[in-house]
Amino acid sequence: MHQLEISDLITVVDPHSGQRLPVRRAEVIRQLREAGDERAARIVAELPVDRDGVLDPHAVDRLLIGVHTELQRLSEELRIGERLVHLLGPLFAAIRETTGRPGPYRLVDVGCGLGYLVRRLAATNALGTDVELVGVDLDAALVGEAARLARAEGLDCRFVHGNAFALSEAATVYVSTGVLHHFRGPALAEFFQAQAASPAYAFCHFDIAATPLAPIGAWVFHRARMRNPLGRHDGVVSARRAHSDETLLRAAAVPGIRALLYEPRGTANPFCTPLRPIIGVRPHLEAPLRRALGRDALRMVGPEHLAGTVR
């Protein structure tokens, strides 16, 4: 059965102009019922609409900001910020070594939501003062709230409403959390191709590890920690939609990029590793990255080390 996330359906943005498009509640309900998800259809049926049946964009914005606020708490509990720095520190060290220049470098968080990771990096200065921190999202309400939080916290970072791959200033490294499973079919490869075609040196994308325990763990965790029905629903569906190790490595194997999976299935504790990253580097960066990681480089493997991948 095709799994759909409510949050993907109740707000639609033109990817080129960034303009928000009207969404009819009845159409969203129809899609969910056709997918066999009556519970999700009931959740959407409770959302307010105007006289034409179009979802109230302000109500949707408030809902998504609330859900993302709860997701931020989950990121804190899962220590995603620390795990990201564990890899980004050595990655930027390798970039500095190979470029031989002092910077500045630019980290771009794709689909940043409320900008938790960017704001945490700014608050801790974990990557150094030579790394500019930018969060980008197609949802204007989320980006606006991220910028408001950054101002309130007095942080040196910025947030942009738009396409992360169409910025006027190129990224050095792209990152994301919980974004990859939203790309289905050819769109997943196109996501990686866009980064390979850019001037960026590398990417590091965390997403849900596709294990038999993932949907069960997501149900327990979201039931216990998420108050909003939409967040609970989408959290479990996200785990069911997670891409396999082989799918990720196959999609990321684009010209000019060496795809590497950190903590692949079978080497990580399924109870302690709900998310794990796929890393992509320009080929000349792999050796210095492994040196910078030290013994932890043994936890990073390429397609040739996973049975069943396309070589």
Side-chain angles (χ1 to χ4, degrees):
M1 184 181 299
H2 186 49
Q3 299 287 322
L4 298 174
E5 292 181 55
I6 298 171
S7 56
D8 286 343
L9 303 177
I10 61 176
T11 179
V12 179
V13 176
D14 185 303
H16 302 292
S17 67
Q19 180 181 359
R20 187 169 188 163
L21 304 177
V23 177
R24 295 188 177 279
R25 184 175 65 184
E27 174 61 18
V28 177
I29 292 173
R30 181 192 65 78
Q31 293 180 65
L32 291 169
R33 284 180 172 158
E34 286 184 355
D37 196 339
E38 187 60 37
R39 175 171 171 266
R42 290 197 299 270
I43 293 173
V44 173
E46 297 296 321
L47 300 181
V49 296
D50 64 16
R51 66 181 62 184
D52 296 319
V54 173
L55 287 171
D56 179 350
H58 300 295
V60 169
D61 288 344
R62 290 193 298 270
L63 173 61
L64 292 181
I65 288 173
V67 169
H68 277 261
T69 299
E70 291 189 321
L71 287 174
Q72 173 177 304
R73 186 178 67 246
L74 296 187
S75 294
E76 293 169 345
E77 293 176 351
L78 294 173
R79 302 174 65 185
I80 299 302
E82 294 174 41
R83 296 184 63 204
L84 187 68
V85 170
H86 173 72
L87 293 173
L88 290 182
L91 181 54
F92 274 101
I95 291 172
R96 292 183 185 101
E97 175 188 332
T98 56
T99 60
R101 63 179 179 84
Y105 303 101
R106 185 171 296 106
L107 178 142
V108 173
D109 185 2
V110 183
C112 66
L114 295 184
Y116 164 69
L117 286 176
V118 167
R119 290 188 288 111
R120 189 184 189 282
L121 291 172
T124 58
N125 193 30
L127 300 180
T129 57
D130 60 345
V131 178
E132 179 187 358
L133 303 169
V134 184
V136 185
D137 204 295
L138 286 170
D139 190 303
L142 294 178
V143 166
E145 181 65 7
R148 185 192 69 80
L149 291 169
R151 288 193 300 271
E153 295 160 353
L155 300 176
D156 185 14
C157 56
R158 64 187 178 94
F159 294 93
V160 178
H161 171 225
N163 185 338
F165 306 128
L167 300 178
S168 58
E169 299 172 307
T172 307
V173 175
Y174 287 105
V175 300
S176 73
T177 305
V179 167
L180 294 181
H181 68 271
H182 291 280
F183 293 95
R184 316 307 298 178
L188 182 62
E190 291 168 3
F191 175 77
F192 291 115
Q193 289 164 5
Q195 294 164 83
S198 78
Y201 285 85
F203 58 73
C204 181
H205 299 296
F206 275 82
D207 206 15
I208 302 163
T211 68
L213 292 173
I216 300 171
W219 185 88
V220 172
F221 203 60
H222 285 78
R223 191 74 185 175
R225 305 300 289 144
M226 301 286 279
R227 293 184 292 272
N228 191 284
L230 185 152
R232 289 178 173 180
H233 173 274
D234 281 8
V236 176
V237 172
S238 295
R240 291 174 177 161
R241 299 176 77 198
H243 296 297
S244 69
D245 294 353
E246 293 79 11
T247 296
L248 286 176
L249 283 170
R250 185 182 299 113
V254 295
I257 290 292
R258 167 67 166 158
L260 301 159
L261 196 65
Y262 197 76
E263 296 183 325
R265 185 185 65 246
T267 67
N269 186 330
F271 294 98
C272 301
T273 313
L275 286 87
R276 51 90 179 91
I278 185 164
I279 303 166
V281 296
R282 300 300 178 184
H284 69 277
L285 273 176
E286 181 178 359
L289 172 59
R290 289 187 179 278
R291 287 196 300 271
L293 280 169
R295 290 183 58 83
D296 285 336
L298 297 174
R299 300 157 70 183
M300 186 171 64
V301 302
E304 63 276 7
H305 293 283
L306 294 179
T309 58
V310 174
R311 292 173 171 79

